[in-house]
Amino acid sequence: MRVSSLLDRVQPLTSPFIQVLRERQMEVAVGLYAAIAFAYACSSTDTQVWASMLVPFLALAAITTASRTVRFGAVLGIALVMGAIVLANIFTIANHGYFLTWVGLGLAFAVACEPPRDVIVLRRNAAMLLGILMAFALVQKLRADYYVDGDM
C-alpha cells in the first residue's frame, strides 16, 4: 500500500479535528491547560485538599463558558491556585507547579484580548514564557548540587 493512499484514507477522519485546531486555537489552549491543571491538582502529592476541590470547578468553568470574562477569571483562578501550591511547597515542589502557574498567567492575559488579537497575544506569550521558563530551569539545575554532580 502506498503512503499517499493511506493518507487519503486517514484524511477524512482527521480533517474535522485539524479544522477545530486551526479555527478554535484559544479554546483548544484553554481546554488543554484546564485538563493538565486538573490532573496535576487532583493527583499531585503537593496539592492541598482545598486546591484539589477548587481546580475542577475552575477548569469546568474555563472550558464550558462562552463568556471571555468568565473564562479569563477561571484561567486566572487556576493559575493563582497553582501559584499558591508552589508557595506552600516552595522547597519541595516540582517544576510542574511553576510551569502551570506561569503558563496560566500568560494564557489568562491572552484570553482577555479580543479575537483575533487573542491568538497573536497567545503566541507571543507562549514564546516569551517558554524562553523564561527554560532559563529558570537552567539556572535551577546549575545551582542544584545533585544535578551538577549526577548524584540524583
Side-chain angles (χ1 to χ4, degrees):
M1 183 182 288
R2 293 189 343 241
V3 173
S4 61
S5 66
L6 180 64
L7 290 176
D8 290 339
R9 287 184 178 178
V10 173
Q11 187 176 10
L13 299 174
T14 59
S15 67
F17 180 69
I18 300 298
Q19 184 177 359
V20 167
L21 288 177
R22 284 186 182 149
E23 294 176 1
R24 304 183 67 105
Q25 294 174 11
M26 188 57 64
E27 288 85 356
V28 170
V30 169
L32 287 173
Y33 176 73
I36 293 167
F38 170 78
Y40 180 78
C42 293
S43 65
S44 175
T45 57
D46 297 325
T47 306
Q48 290 81 16
V49 174
W50 64 268
S52 61
M53 293 178 71
L54 184 60
V55 168
F57 291 108
L58 291 171
L60 190 60
I63 292 170
T64 59
T65 187
S67 166
R68 259 192 6 263
T69 306
V70 173
R71 184 170 289 144
F72 168 75
V75 172
L76 184 62
I78 293 171
L80 293 176
V81 169
M82 292 299 148
I85 293 169
V86 167
L87 288 176
N89 304 291
I90 194 81
F91 297 111
T92 60
I93 193 84
N95 291 340
H96 302 89
Y98 291 102
F99 185 76
L100 285 168
T101 301
W102 288 106
V103 167
L105 291 173
L107 183 59
F109 292 123
V111 167
C113 295
E114 296 267 343
R117 192 166 184 272
D118 58 351
V119 175
I120 296 166
V121 171
L122 178 65
R123 290 177 182 163
R124 188 192 70 222
N125 287 351
M128 288 189 320
L129 285 171
L130 242 114
I132 291 168
L133 286 170
M134 292 302 120
F136 283 153
L138 176 66
V139 168
Q140 181 216 6
K141 297 212 180 348
L142 290 175
R143 294 198 62 197
D145 295 334
Y146 51 87
Y147 283 109
V148 178
D149 295 340
D151 292 338
M152 189 145 153

